[in-house]
Amino acid sequence: MYETRFVTGRPFRVPVETRERRSPDGGSARPLPLLAAVATAFALLHLALVAPGLVLGWDETVYVSQVSPQAPAAFFSAPRARGITYLVAPVAAVTTSVAALRLYLAVLAGGGLFLALWVWRRLLPAPVLAVAGALFASLWVTMFYASQAMPNLWVAYGALAATGCFLRAARDPGDRRALLGTGAGVAFAALMRPADAVWLVLALAVAALVLPRARRRVLPVVVAGAGVALGCAEWVVEAYVHYGGLGARLRRASEIQGHLGWYFAVDDHVRALGGRALCRPCDVPWRHPPSALWFFALPLLVAGGVRAAGRAGRRVPVVLATGVGAVLAAPYLFTVGYAAPRFLLPAYALLALPVAQCLADACRPRARWRRTATAIVAVAVAAHLAVQYAVVDSVADRVRRDTGDFTRIAAQLRALGVRPPCVVSGEEAVRVAFRTGCASRQPSGHDGSTTARALAATALRRPVAVLVSAGARPPAYARDWRVHPLPDLGRRTGFRAYVAGATPPAPGWRPAGTTR
């Protein structure tokens, strides 16, 4: 079987079998075992070290509740997209088991990492791809979100695959699989987070203008544009159906994200790397400097990778990955006024390629001072892995501690008579309501989906609970409702519920685990 290729404008035929077995540098390569091993290790390590006992977070609850039979769907705010809900639907719609959902997503995460790297097998050597995959997978933020019902990791996979397919399609007009992969990768990313996909397409369009020795570069850009339009279609339609139009939804999304504009949030992301899933506002001290050392080394390693790729004749793939990764990071570093480490996962996935190229070059067999360089790299990588494990273990342990608190709160609300059909409002309403089987509704804020008058009217027909933490006053409509102490939630003490419309507890009954 042969395929037409172009060199200096002249077509010639290449045996496909030979091309499949050759690495970009002309040597023998076996990417399948290497990449499969990295992806499998990623999934198994997550399932063994992180996933056990990891309950649904606040954002996860919103996404899963859209299809879960456990409770009514939580309010779906303007910035969100339904891609992750579609992804979890096959499991979440048929079982309420969080363990089953974690297992399903972890397996998908391993498969997604493999496929996203597999796309690059004709552009970069298999060892470089394996090292890149291992570096990306070992980041605490990647390991933590591997089985989370959150969109950012999946955007990373879509962006990585789309970028590799784009370069292959730009170089070889006859590679139809790469052309389809470009559109599919962009559409997948757009289904997860439309804004990220728009930035991805812009980066690819600019790349098409500057790529050297590429033929028919317009078609891959057109396909990428079609992919983003297809992936964003549902989000746009929903904007007109539920949010008053596309412009209104974009404005509301900007408001919820703190009004997008010019912000210097690099330092926020540095502080968040200490283990904060969300740093908003990020005015906390920088308590864990070792957790961000790799972040400061990243630009130097990327630059070293670009230089090494140039010497090895692989400059274009590495420069493209670097450029697209930088574009995907820029909006979160300079237009959003807070930080969440998961926002930069797409950028990390792409920047892992030049970093891997840099490390591989430092340890190459003919390099001067190879043994010294290899030892330094080994020690640095070992220290990096130790820090990443310590952070992810701390973050996962913190989430596990919340499990018991939410379970006790939900159990006591049910004992108070707050049972389906019911409504929960106030602090942490989304997660508590989901565990209680109730709807979560807020009269104001980012998730405003009702009014105070409507909540008061609902309490005449069904149980309603308003959750209030210590030091906070209940809303005016709930001040005459029965008040009941609840278990502490993490470090927050004095948690209590104002309840109406529920069967009162028996005389003398007091929630377990509370004090007078």
Side-chain angles (χ1 to χ4, degrees):
M1 184 176 178
Y2 291 82
E3 180 176 282
T4 302
R5 308 278 286 190
F6 291 83
V7 173
T8 63
R10 297 181 180 179
F12 69 98
R13 293 165 67 80
V14 177
V16 174
E17 294 82 3
T18 301
R19 175 173 52 82
E20 292 281 358
R21 293 194 299 264
R22 289 291 183 179
S23 68
D25 56 354
S28 177
R30 297 178 62 84
L32 180 59
L34 284 174
L35 300 185
V38 170
T40 302
F42 172 47
L44 292 178
L45 285 173
H46 173 82
L47 288 172
L49 302 178
V50 182
L54 206 63
V55 295
L56 296 179
W58 186 77
D59 289 293
E60 286 187 289
T61 302
V62 174
Y63 290 120
V64 172
S65 71
Q66 308 303 308
V67 292
S68 174
Q70 182 169 333
F75 178 71
F76 207 76
S77 62
R80 301 186 186 277
R82 296 189 181 271
I84 193 66
T85 296
Y86 300 148
L87 189 69
V88 303
V91 172
V94 298
T95 178
T96 59
S97 171
V98 176
L101 182 63
R102 296 292 183 218
L103 175 61
Y104 165 74
L105 287 175
V107 172
L108 285 186
L113 180 64
F114 173 82
L115 291 176
L117 292 171
W118 182 254
V119 165
W120 290 78
R121 69 192 184 280
R122 302 177 189 174
L123 303 170
L124 293 172
V128 172
L129 296 178
V131 171
L135 290 173
F136 176 66
S138 67
L139 294 177
W140 77 259
V141 61
T142 310
M143 187 62 68
F144 180 70
Y145 285 103
S147 67
Q148 295 257 325
M150 297 292 283
N152 309 86
L153 180 63
W154 305 99
V155 175
Y157 290 158
L160 183 61
T163 303
C165 286
F166 172 84
L167 181 56
R168 285 173 47 182
R171 285 181 163 184
D172 184 359
D175 194 342
R176 294 184 179 180
R177 291 183 181 179
L179 198 61
L180 292 175
T182 302
V186 171
F188 183 74
L191 197 62
M192 296 291 168
R193 286 183 72 87
D196 285 2
V198 171
W199 285 103
L200 172 61
V201 171
L202 289 176
L204 294 179
V206 172
L209 299 176
V210 299
L211 280 176
R213 297 185 297 278
R215 296 288 186 261
R216 304 180 186 177
R217 292 168 294 184
V218 175
L219 186 56
V221 175
V222 172
V223 171
V228 76
L230 181 63
C232 292
E234 186 276 337
W235 198 86
V236 173
V237 170
E238 190 177 46
Y240 286 97
V241 174
H242 297 295
Y243 298 91
L246 181 58
R249 186 171 193 178
L250 289 172
R251 285 192 297 272
R252 181 57 180 155
S254 177
E255 292 172 5
I256 290 175
Q257 296 177 88
H259 294 283
L260 300 180
W262 169 251
Y263 299 96
F264 184 83
V266 176
D267 55 333
D268 293 346
H269 283 274
V270 168
R271 287 192 289 271
L273 287 175
R276 291 181 174 272
L278 179 65
C279 199
R280 183 180 187 183
C282 204
D283 52 2
V284 297
W286 187 26
R287 299 185 185 279
H288 307 288
S291 65
L293 291 178
W294 69 271
F295 188 86
F296 293 107
L298 187 60
L300 299 177
L301 294 172
V302 168
V306 171
R307 182 171 181 270
R311 291 198 301 266
R314 296 187 288 267
R315 184 184 301 274
V316 172
V318 171
V319 169
L320 179 63
T322 301
V324 176
V327 169
L328 291 176
Y332 294 109
L333 295 175
F334 303 111
T335 69
V336 178
Y338 61 95
R342 59 187 172 86
F343 290 165
L344 297 182
L345 278 172
Y348 296 152
L350 285 152
L351 295 178
L353 295 174
V355 173
Q357 180 67 63
C358 178
L359 297 182
D361 183 72
C363 301
R364 71 186 190 275
R366 296 182 181 180
R368 182 180 298 179
W369 309 107
R370 180 179 66 86
R371 292 183 179 179
T372 302
T374 302
I376 293 173
V377 169
V379 171
V381 169
H384 170 75
L385 293 178
V387 171
Q388 297 304 305
Y389 172 74
V391 176
V392 74
D393 184 60
S394 173
V395 175
D397 185 62
R398 186 167 65 244
V399 173
R400 293 187 191 104
R401 288 198 301 269
D402 288 344
T403 303
D405 297 337
F406 282 112
T407 301
R408 288 189 292 271
I409 290 172
Q412 293 196 17
L413 285 177
R414 286 192 293 269
L416 290 169
V418 182
R419 303 184 186 94
C422 49
V423 177
V424 177
S425 185
E427 188 170 352
E428 289 290 356
V430 169
R431 287 192 277 185
V432 172
F434 187 75
R435 286 162 176 77
T436 314
C438 303
S440 60
R441 298 291 181 263
Q442 302 286 15
S444 61
H446 296 164
D447 291 337
S449 54
T450 187
T451 63
R453 179 176 296 181
L455 277 177
T458 301
L460 301 176
R461 306 187 306 273
R462 64 186 61 180
V464 176
V466 177
L467 308 181
V468 180
S469 60
R473 300 184 62 184
Y477 63 86
R479 288 174 187 169
D480 295 332
W481 295 0
R482 299 192 317 273
V483 58
H484 301 278
L486 295 174
D488 296 339
L489 184 57
R491 297 181 179 179
R492 287 172 287 185
T493 59
F495 217 56
R496 60 198 190 278
Y498 289 78
V499 180
T503 303
W509 180 87
R510 189 169 60 137
T514 60
T515 57
R516 293 189 184 278

